Amino acid sequence: MRLWTVQPFDWYETLMSDGVIYAKGKLIDWLNEDNFKVAYHWLMAQMEHKIGKPPIPDAYPIWAWYQWQNAKQKKPDLRFGGIGTKGQKSALLEIEKKDSEVLLSDFDLWHAVLNEYYIADNVKDDDWFDDLLKQANIDYCDKHLYPPNIRQIMQNSWQKIFDMDYCAEYSTHPFTQKSIQATFWQLSVDEIKSVRIFMAK
């Protein structure tokens, strides 16, 4: 599977020096935010179930693009901003991973996990979930008050982010129009096909 990952230049140097690299939770600034921590840990549990356990105990997901914009724009276009941390020397790595080592997910629907909301197929489905909350006297925004049964329904809907054939117009796009991200546990030097060093805009 051909993928593209954008990383800080010193991360790339470490990979070239060590021959293999893993993401470490202590180096991920976003994990200081509660919603990111919950989302990351949920995703990591899904990765363990779908592609296997991490090779080291404290490994976190490494992120890449399978389709940056859509099927016609799979590779990130460095002429655009927002690719990497602005002003940081970075590396765009084109890599080849085994399919069995990668978990693909819908980038837009991933925000349902980050923000803890139900992925509805249509308006009727959305209203049904809202009615569940009203019956439980819970406001939609009070996620910490969701009872286990409603939380489970919400989290079950998140499985749709991994279904590349899921294309309910109400929630997402057809496969060819999706932005598709990829996560995996490790990257080795021999999986690199090309590298481009750039300054992030």
Side-chain angles (χ1 to χ4, degrees), residues 128-182:
W128 171 80
F129 187 75
D130 285 344
D131 286 341
L132 287 181
L133 294 175
K134 290 176 183 176
Q135 291 167 19
N137 293 314
I138 297 172
D139 187 271
Y140 183 86
C141 295
D142 292 333
K143 309 296 173 69
H144 63 289
L145 297 178
Y146 284 17
N149 65 313
I150 291 181
R151 177 162 290 280
Q152 189 61 57
I153 290 170
M154 177 181 68
Q155 291 186 347
N156 287 347
S157 79
W158 296 349
Q159 291 297 324
K160 297 169 185 175
I161 78 171
F162 305 121
D163 183 357
M164 295 299 103
D165 294 323
Y166 178 69
C167 58
E169 186 176 352
Y170 185 73
S171 298
T172 189
H173 307 286
F175 176 81
T176 56
Q177 297 175 29
K178 288 181 185 288
S179 289
I180 301 173
Q181 57 191 9

Side-chain angles (χ1 to χ4, degrees), residues 3 21 24 26-27 99 101 118 131 134 165 167 170:
L3 305 170
I21 199 165
K24 302 292 182 67
K26 63 183 179 181
L27 301 178
D99 291 5
E101 296 178 354
Y118 177 70
D131 286 341
K134 290 176 183 176
D165 294 323
C167 58
Y170 185 73

Side-chain angles (χ1 to χ4, degrees), residues 71-194:
K72 292 183 178 180
Q73 294 178 293
K74 301 185 76 169
K75 179 180 178 180
D77 188 336
L78 299 182
R79 293 173 297 179
F80 287 78
I83 300 175
T85 302
K86 185 176 181 179
Q88 184 180 72
K89 188 177 182 180
S90 305
L92 171 63
L93 281 65
E94 181 180 8
I95 61 176
E96 187 76 23
K97 295 284 296 181
K98 294 179 180 177
D99 291 5
S100 60
E101 296 178 354
V102 178
L103 181 58
L104 298 179
S105 56
D106 184 316
F107 173 73
D108 292 325
L109 291 182
W110 165 242
H111 292 79
V113 184
L114 285 175
N115 296 297
E116 292 191 287
Y117 65 78
Y118 177 70
I119 300 176
D121 295 340
N122 47 50
V123 173
K124 183 178 180 180
D125 191 20
D126 221 352
D127 289 343
W128 171 80
F129 187 75
D130 285 344
D131 286 341
L132 287 181
L133 294 175
K134 290 176 183 176
Q135 291 167 19
N137 293 314
I138 297 172
D139 187 271
Y140 183 86
C141 295
D142 292 333
K143 309 296 173 69
H144 63 289
L145 297 178
Y146 284 17
N149 65 313
I150 291 181
R151 177 162 290 280
Q152 189 61 57
I153 290 170
M154 177 181 68
Q155 291 186 347
N156 287 347
S157 79
W158 296 349
Q159 291 297 324
K160 297 169 185 175
I161 78 171
F162 305 121
D163 183 357
M164 295 299 103
D165 294 323
Y166 178 69
C167 58
E169 186 176 352
Y170 185 73
S171 298
T172 189
H173 307 286
F175 176 81
T176 56
Q177 297 175 29
K178 288 181 185 288
S179 289
I180 301 173
Q181 57 191 9
T183 51
F184 44 91
W185 293 121
Q186 68 179 48
L187 180 64
S188 58
V189 169
D190 60 5
E191 293 172 315
I192 299 174
K193 298 303 176 184
S194 68

Side-chain angles (χ1 to χ4, degrees), residues 12-67:
Y12 166 66
E13 287 187 311
T14 300
L15 168 58
M16 297 307 292
S17 173
D18 295 349
V20 63
I21 199 165
Y22 314 93
K24 302 292 182 67
K26 63 183 179 181
L27 301 178
I28 302 173
D29 293 337
W30 290 346
L31 292 182
N32 294 324
E33 300 181 31
D34 288 341
N35 62 322
F36 278 99
K37 188 178 295 184
V38 170
Y40 259 72
H41 288 171
W42 179 84
L43 178 63
M44 290 164 65
Q46 299 304 310
M47 289 174 67
E48 286 196 25
H49 176 68
K50 298 175 186 294
I51 63 173
K53 293 183 178 297
I56 61 173
D58 59 345
Y60 271 67
I62 296 175
W63 297 79
W65 288 108
Y66 176 74
Q67 287 185 181

